[in-house]
Amino acid sequence: MANPFNYDHYCFSCTVLSLLISLHAAATIASQVQANSATTPPLPILPLPSYSQLKWQQREIIMFFHFGVNTFTDSEWGTGQENPAIFNPTVLDAAQWVDTAVQAGVSLVILTAKHHDGFCLWPSKYTDHSVISSPWRNGKGDVVQELVNAANPRGVDVGLYLSPWDRHDPRYGKNKEYNEYYLAQLQELLRKYGSVKEIWFDGAKGSNAPNMTYDFGDWFSLVRELQSSINIFSDAGPDVRWVGNEQGFAGSTCWSTINRTALSIGNASIVGYLNTGDPKGTDWLPPECDVSIRTGWFWHKSQSPKPLHQLLQIYYNSVGRNCVLLLNVPPNPTGLISESDILRLREFREAVDTVFSSNLAENCSVTASSQRGGKGGGFGPENVVDGDHLWTYWAPSDDDDDKEHHWIEFRASDGPLRFNVVRIQEAIGLGQRIRQHEVYADGKRIASGTTVGHKRLHRLEKGVVHALSVKIKITGSRATPLLSSVGLHFDPFWHPNPNGKPPSKFVH
């Protein structure tokens, strides 16, 4: 009798069963992996900031110390013919300078190691037109070293300005000789004094100055070699750009991106481009707003610090427009920061803290048009009111039907919100994106603007708003917008005109 068992059929059945089991197992594993995996962040949009640029941006306010022979001659631009004997700050105390900075919330100070007059605040080996030839500390003093010694234990970083224009040195105007001299002094400053976080170059010089070609490319390369984490400032970067004016105001549109190939140092025709940046820019080159607390850059007996309302206006139009504010506070001829400047800085710091220490948005319920990865995906609207203003953020879904009108909304739970400042911040670590945005309170538009960047501050032109809901609409963006922080604040120092327009002497 024939055996009914079919071996071939049996093998085929086993193969099919094994395949089905494998497919089921694979599907189960894939499902578990998907269930246990976090939603990935969105792709960055280039260009991106470097680590050093990000740290610089988060400082928000840094400080300049203009100090030198001009301090003793009541001048802004020295002639280069000053006798070094006039430099004698009898009670110079760099610790007082740094303490003043710390009390103002500043973590980086920049010193004019050499201004246009050519006088050096350190004992350079390459010239005797320096502290060596002054009576201060019997010719043994070193302002740069004293500043570093004061800053290091206080956790404050140091930057230096070395003026390219030198009205004293006879080598100026001789390209090879002067560039060698300048590079020699750069090496002294960047090798002798430890970590330097910002180096300042500019193209300022008088109309009658000798023709001189600065080898900026060589200078930048040497700086990079000697200080790997430094930021280089100039009209053309390569790390930080000038904002294009000395009033401390950025453009109402202000991109951190720009094309470096369109920039050159000392070119007055590009100030508008510097002020606004370029949404199509291929380089990350954020702007720095330099302005003095007084009218002049150096100390003058006839001058006094700017009033608080003017400093606050500068803050809103620099830090509040995606910039870092470089505020100059000049020491006086005794070698100290004047008491009037200290008091004004303290008043300024207290005012900023008063405005931004409380965020009404934190006590609101938050919803959004959509969120990447859905609920629990890690990119929900609640991220804009946590403590991280950079790496946690609300990201709308890529599948959002209306990609040009993403929105996030805050609803009060205990009665109307009372505020007159709206703060918006982007997750710039993944690029600057937002081109256009609007702010609504209970359905009525109360503010609108273009760029956001690290921080955008709207100080409302019509004053205080009372509302149960606040909605921010992103109406234009280079890519999916990423909001890292939102704040609703009350500024008790803001008193606009009754007709709803800001005071005429200010620009909003």
Side-chain angles (χ1 to χ4, degrees), residues 57-73:
Q57 186 90 57
Q58 291 173 296
R59 295 181 193 272
E60 297 194 347
I61 303 177
I62 59 180
M63 194 169 285
F64 223 158
F65 296 136
H66 272 66
F67 189 58
V69 290
N70 292 347
T71 308
F72 299 84
T73 61

Side-chain angles (χ1 to χ4, degrees), residues 13-25:
S13 299
C14 288
T15 301
V16 171
L17 180 60
S18 176
L19 180 60
L20 289 173
I21 292 172
S22 298
L23 289 173
H24 181 266

Side-chain angles (χ1 to χ4, degrees), residues 155-328:
V156 173
D157 292 321
V158 171
L160 296 170
Y161 169 62
L162 185 67
S163 171
W165 183 29
D166 191 319
R167 304 187 75 178
H168 173 82
D169 198 276
R171 286 164 284 202
Y172 192 86
K174 302 172 183 177
N175 287 345
K176 181 176 184 294
E177 290 87 343
Y178 184 73
N179 276 288
E180 288 177 342
Y181 171 64
Y182 192 92
L183 283 167
Q185 292 200 318
L186 262 184
Q187 289 183 67
E188 285 185 316
L189 291 172
L190 298 182
R191 291 180 62 197
K192 182 180 178 182
Y193 297 102
S195 178
V196 177
K197 293 301 183 183
E198 185 166 336
I199 186 81
W200 236 74
F201 300 109
D202 65 10
K205 67 177 182 179
S207 57
N208 296 323
N211 289 328
M212 179 73 218
T213 299
Y214 304 135
D215 294 340
F216 282 116
D218 292 350
W219 299 3
F220 295 168
S221 295
L222 184 70
V223 170
R224 284 273 187 263
E225 178 184 356
L226 298 177
Q227 296 276 342
S228 61
S229 62
I230 199 170
N231 281 315
I232 301 173
F233 169 96
S234 80
D235 297 356
D239 301 305
V240 178
R241 77 177 193 259
W242 184 43
V243 78
N245 64 63
E246 294 182 346
Q247 284 74 54
F249 281 20
S252 57
T253 295
C254 189
W255 291 94
S256 293
T257 53
I258 203 165
N259 284 318
R260 279 194 63 207
T261 55
L263 306 180
S264 57
I265 299 174
N267 182 358
S269 69
I270 62 170
V271 293
Y273 189 54
L274 289 169
N275 199 245
T276 61
D278 188 344
K280 297 181 180 178
T282 56
D283 302 287
W284 188 273
L285 196 58
E288 187 171 274
C289 291
D290 58 322
V291 67
S292 186
I293 194 171
R294 293 164 170 252
T295 304
W297 290 95
F298 287 88
W299 186 92
H300 303 280
K301 185 177 181 180
S302 61
Q303 297 178 2
S304 57
K306 290 178 170 67
L308 175 63
H309 64 75
Q310 191 172 355
L311 291 179
L312 285 173
Q313 188 70 11
I314 289 169
Y315 178 87
Y316 278 100
N317 289 291
S318 56
V319 176
R321 289 182 175 178
N322 188 39
C323 292
V324 167
L325 171 59
L326 173 57
L327 183 61
N328 178 64

Side-chain angles (χ1 to χ4, degrees), residues 361 364-366 384-385 408-412 468-470 472 486 488:
C364 294
S365 60
V366 192
V384 303
V385 290
I408 185 169
E409 186 172 29
F410 303 83
R411 286 195 170 274
L468 290 170
S469 71
V470 177
I472 298 171
V486 172
L488 303 175

Side-chain angles (χ1 to χ4, degrees), residues 340-388:
S340 59
D341 293 358
I342 293 174
L343 291 175
R344 184 54 41 79
L345 282 168
R346 186 177 301 154
E347 187 180 23
F348 174 52
R349 182 72 257 171
E350 289 174 354
V352 171
D353 290 343
T354 295
V355 175
F356 296 102
S357 60
S358 177
N359 180 8
L360 298 176
E362 292 177 356
N363 299 319
C364 294
S365 60
V366 192
T367 56
S369 53
S370 65
Q371 62 188 72
R372 183 179 179 86
K375 189 172 183 180
F379 299 99
E382 66 277 2
N383 289 343
V384 303
V385 290
D386 66 10
D388 187 336

